[in-house]
């Protein structure tokens, strides 16, 4: 008799196509990037394979290490990464997940990039420099001469890691450095100074509290110039090959995102080039901020999909009390509820990607829609991820609480996107600011929300409630989260009713809009087509 016979354990979730996601693929076609399906599936099979999963594990178990000095005592300010990190980065850059769409004239290029960014999830940490590089290009275009030199390298699909003069490399990565310890989100309180020099450059002096991916090649940063808060481009290595005095003081010990280095840095009269006019720093860098907010939505939607597919895979193979977990009515309710939340996030994410693509091509109506919908989506989708991750982890029971399952890493990652690029309150207040200052954005939003008018009475009623909420002038700031939540639910509902699977749309409207839902996941009402919804979440392995 053996004492250790392995029974009733779930097979590893490897050997599947991570892009085999109905909501994602429908959105890819709908938003004009169906031409990218073949590459998306190629990336999905790679991401769902054993190699990528192992690289993600290694990158997190061997986090980056800061080396401030060499053995002779010279400052080097370098961060060492495990080879797995570089493999993940190389794959992402080669497939154009960074700034490649800015050099691609095909309609839907930004949609294709969003779908690939969503699909390639063996490790979320390496997505940070990928996202910032994507977002840097439109901000850099405020300085056409700098953009002409750096943009071709930022959009290149060559991963060329190492400290060398940027213009001598085959490809570049860009970071962003705004936050200071005394201000946080209030970047206008920044104290870093920028002194103009006769040659047209500036010298920066100050301390930045949170700079992610400090081993990028160039950074967009904010500093106080004589004319006010201004945006600057700061390279790590100067054109002559010498190190720019950008000192890495320490790496942050973070809750999640541990494979990615985040540092406190000091500028000791670092050389910088101005991007945009003096005093217009926030207006200049907001282009970068908005695109990284888009990636926050994409990342949260991708995390939800990863959570629900893992939970559904487990429930399909795990037996308890004489049946598979997926056959138990209450587990079916939980899985379906998680799947509905995931698909609502994905359909909104793809709509925002489409708006970004068309906005980049000069579509004013899509620009107005994106202005409000992106802030709404950033608040809501990112806010929903932590609870979703916790419930998905619980579906695995004790096995989900063990690091080997990957679920603890997913859970630790889940609060990040709600914090990065403006926490919940910042995002909610941004929505109010847009509503107050830009009337065209509400018109564009309403056009989207009412495009499905008459198709579902529950949606129509929710639209009326939102209008009443917006018409109430009292205590608007106090009610900001309530207002934004209702805007988000109406938008998701409208998109699902128009484009989603009928079973998913019905369950969403019944639970999220009609209020037939409890406070926890797994409280969908009777009458929901649980089988149809769950089937869309079960990954096809093998």
């Amino acid at each position: 008799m053996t004492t250790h016979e392995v029974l009733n354990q779930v097979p590893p979730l490897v050997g599947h196509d991570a892009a085999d996601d109905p909501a994602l693929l429908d959105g890819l076609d709908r938003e004009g990037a169906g031409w990218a399906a073949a590459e998306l599936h190629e990336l999905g099979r790679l991401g769902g394979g054993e190699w990528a999963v192992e690289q993600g594990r290694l990158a997190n178990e061997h986090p980056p290490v800061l080396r401030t000095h060499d053995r002779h005592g010279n400052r080097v300010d370098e961060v060492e990464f495990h080879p797995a990190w570089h493999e993940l980065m190389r794959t992402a850059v080669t497939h154009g997940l960074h700034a490649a769409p800015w050099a691609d004239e095909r309609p839907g290029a930004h949609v294709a990039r969003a779908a690939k960014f969503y699909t390639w999830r063996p490790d979320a940490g390496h997505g940070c420099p990928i996202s910032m590089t994507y977002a840097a290009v439109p901000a850099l275009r405020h300085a056409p001469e700098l953009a002409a030199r750096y943009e071709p390298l930022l959009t290149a699909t060559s991963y060329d890691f190492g400290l060398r003069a940027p213009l001598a490399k085959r490809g570049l990565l860009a970071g962003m450095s705004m936050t200071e310890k005394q201000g946080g989100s209030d970047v206008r309180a920044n104290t870093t100074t920028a002194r103009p020099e006769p040659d047209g450059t500036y010298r920066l002096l100050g301390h930045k509290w949170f700079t992610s991916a400090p081993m990028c090649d160039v950074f967009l940063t904010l500093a106080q110039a004589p004319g006010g808060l201004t945006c600057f481009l700061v390279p790590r290595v100067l054109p002559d090959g010498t190190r720019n005095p950008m000192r890495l003081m320490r790496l942050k010990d973070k809750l999640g995102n541990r494979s990615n280095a985040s540092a406190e840095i000091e500028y000791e009269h670092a050389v910088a080039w101005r991007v945009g006019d003096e005093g217009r720093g926030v207006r200049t860098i907001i282009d970068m901020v908005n695109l990284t907010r888009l990636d926050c939505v994409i990342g949260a939607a991708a995390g939800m999909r990863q959570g629900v597919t893992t939970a559904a895979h487990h429930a399909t193979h795990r037996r308890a009390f004489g049946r598979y977990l997926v056959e138990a009515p209450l587990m079916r309710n939980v899985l379906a509820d998680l799947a509905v939340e995931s698909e609502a996030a994905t359909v909104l994410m793809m709509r925002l990607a489409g708006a970004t693509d068309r906005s980049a091509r000069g579509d004013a109506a899509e620009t107005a829609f994106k202005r409000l919908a992106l802030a709404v989506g950033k608040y809501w989708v990112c806010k929903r991820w932590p609870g979703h991750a916790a419930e998905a982890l619980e579906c695995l029971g004790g096995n989900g609480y063990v690091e080997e399952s990957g679920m603890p890493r997913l859970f630790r990652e889940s609060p990040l996107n709600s914090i990065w690029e403006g926490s919940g309150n910042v995002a909610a207040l941004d929505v109010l600011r847009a509503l107050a200052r830009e009337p065209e954005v509400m018109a564009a939003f309403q056009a989207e929300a009412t495009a499905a008018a008459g198709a579902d009475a529950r949606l129509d009623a929710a639209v009326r409630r939102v209008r009443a909420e917006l018409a109430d002038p009292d205590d608007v700031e106090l009610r900001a989260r309530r207002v934004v939540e209702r805007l988000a639910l109406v938008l998701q509902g409208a998109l699902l009713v128009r484009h989603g699977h009928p079973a998913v749309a019905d369950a969403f409207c019944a639970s999220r809009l009609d209020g037939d839902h409890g406070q926890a996941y797994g409280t969908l009402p009777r009458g929901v087509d649980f089988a149809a919804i769950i089937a869309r979440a079960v990954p096809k392995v093998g």
Side-chain angles (χ1 to χ4, degrees):
M1 178 179 178
T2 180
T3 61
H4 187 69
E5 185 178 0
V6 178
L7 299 171
N8 198 29
Q9 286 295 322
V10 176
L13 180 50
V14 294
H16 71 288
D17 181 355
D20 187 16
D21 177 342
L24 177 71
L25 297 175
D26 289 347
L28 191 74
D29 284 332
R30 186 172 59 251
E31 300 297 341
W35 49 264
E39 185 186 2
L40 181 63
H41 283 295
E42 175 190 343
L43 190 64
R45 288 188 291 271
L46 183 63
E50 187 173 356
W51 176 84
V53 172
E54 179 66 4
Q55 299 309 303
R57 183 189 70 82
L58 290 171
N60 275 271
E61 291 194 4
H62 303 277
V65 176
L66 174 61
R67 306 295 186 196
T68 57
H69 296 76
D70 65 16
R71 65 190 182 94
H72 303 292
N74 301 306
R75 291 254 2 177
V76 292
D77 295 296
E78 296 202 34
V79 180
E80 294 179 359
F81 291 91
H82 189 272
W85 163 272
H86 295 295
E87 289 300 318
L88 295 169
M89 289 291 295
R90 184 172 292 106
T91 301
V93 172
T94 300
H95 284 273
L97 274 64
H98 62 312
W102 300 108
D104 190 340
E105 296 182 356
R106 289 175 294 180
H110 293 271
V111 177
R113 181 260 169 194
K116 289 187 287 187
F117 191 68
Y118 172 100
T119 299
W120 179 244
R121 298 291 294 182
D123 165 64
H126 81 288
C128 183
I130 295 297
S131 177
M132 291 190 295
T133 304
Y134 170 62
V137 170
L140 188 60
R141 287 177 177 176
H142 287 271
E145 291 184 4
L146 292 175
R149 294 201 297 272
Y150 288 95
E151 188 173 324
L153 293 169
L154 290 168
T155 60
T157 53
S158 296
Y159 178 59
D160 191 1
F161 184 82
L163 285 175
R164 298 187 299 282
L167 298 182
K169 300 183 73 174
R170 292 177 289 111
L172 298 177
L173 295 172
M176 178 168 53
S177 188
M178 297 196 300
T179 306
E180 297 187 7
K181 54 183 174 288
Q182 77 287 339
S185 297
D186 184 9
V187 295
R188 295 187 186 278
N190 283 3
T191 61
T192 297
T193 59
R195 185 188 72 223
E197 296 293 315
D199 63 359
T201 64
Y202 288 71
R203 297 296 182 273
L204 305 189
L205 180 66
H207 186 100
K208 294 294 181 179
W209 186 240
F210 223 109
T211 299
S212 280
M215 296 309 290
C216 286
D217 301 291
V218 295
F219 296 83
L220 289 177
T221 191
L222 296 176
Q224 300 287 355
L229 192 66
T230 305
C231 182
F232 294 94
L233 181 73
V234 183
R236 290 219 58 215
V237 179
L238 296 173
D240 64 2
T242 59
R243 304 278 182 94
N244 208 2
M246 174 181 157
R247 308 304 187 195
L248 307 187
M249 307 308 292
R250 63 170 176 164
L251 299 186
K252 299 288 192 179
D253 186 7
K254 299 173 294 183
L255 168 67
N257 206 248
R258 298 185 69 85
S259 69
N260 176 48
S262 298
E264 292 178 36
I265 67 170
E266 286 190 356
Y267 297 125
E268 295 182 2
H269 304 291
V271 178
W273 284 265
R274 179 167 52 83
V275 179
D277 296 332
E278 283 195 7
R280 304 279 290 180
V282 173
R283 285 294 186 101
T284 301
I285 210 167
I286 199 66
D287 290 333
M288 186 175 190
V289 171
N290 280 332
L291 286 171
T292 47
R293 285 177 176 172
L294 171 64
D295 277 8
C296 287
V297 179
I298 297 172
M304 289 188 199
R305 177 67 181 179
Q306 187 176 350
V308 71
T309 54
T310 303
H313 175 75
H314 179 88
T316 302
H317 292 88
R318 180 80 164 179
R319 294 179 65 87
F321 308 110
R323 60 186 173 183
Y324 287 103
L325 291 177
V326 74
E327 296 170 349
L330 190 53
M331 178 59 80
R332 291 168 69 77
N333 199 321
V334 172
L335 292 173
D337 211 353
L338 291 173
V340 167
E341 192 72 35
S342 171
E343 292 209 25
T346 300
V347 73
L348 176 55
M349 175 274 288
M350 290 301 283
R351 177 65 182 91
L352 291 173
T356 299
D357 191 85
R358 291 182 283 275
S359 176
R361 301 174 197 284
D363 189 321
E366 288 291 90
T367 300
F369 169 76
K370 186 189 72 164
R371 171 66 184 95
L372 184 59
L374 180 56
V376 168
K378 164 65 169 74
Y379 171 83
W380 184 243
V381 175
C382 297
K383 188 66 69 181
R384 295 292 285 172
W385 186 18
H388 191 278
E391 194 68 61
L393 182 155
E394 189 175 326
C395 289
L396 278 66
N399 289 330
Y401 204 70
V402 175
E403 284 292 335
E404 291 169 311
S405 72
M407 297 302 280
R409 173 152 49 103
L410 184 71
F411 179 71
R412 288 192 299 270
E413 194 73 24
S414 64
L416 171 60
N417 290 27
S418 190
I419 297 170
W420 191 31
E421 302 304 7
S423 57
N425 284 355
V426 173
L429 293 174
D430 189 38
V431 171
L432 295 187
R433 190 160 46 249
L435 290 172
R437 299 179 182 177
E438 305 169 57
E440 69 277 8
V441 304
M442 191 58 204
F445 189 94
Q446 285 185 329
E448 190 76 26
T450 58
D456 191 294
R458 297 162 299 189
L459 174 60
D460 293 341
V463 171
R464 290 192 294 271
R465 289 194 295 270
V466 166
R467 286 174 175 163
E469 192 80 55
L470 292 171
D472 184 355
D474 296 333
D475 300 318
V476 176
E477 184 172 332
L478 182 69
R479 294 183 292 112
R481 288 189 174 214
R482 176 186 175 95
V483 170
V484 178
E485 177 177 328
R486 291 194 169 183
L487 287 169
L489 291 173
V490 161
L491 180 56
Q492 287 182 318
L495 291 170
L496 286 172
V497 167
R498 291 175 64 201
H499 308 302
H501 188 280
V504 176
D506 176 67
F508 184 92
C509 291
S511 57
R512 275 70 169 173
L513 300 183
D514 210 31
D516 196 354
H517 195 271
Q519 297 301 307
Y521 286 103
T523 54
L524 290 173
R526 288 174 291 187
V528 167
D529 190 345
F530 295 99
I533 296 171
I534 294 170
R536 293 166 62 83
V538 178
K540 300 176 181 64
V541 178

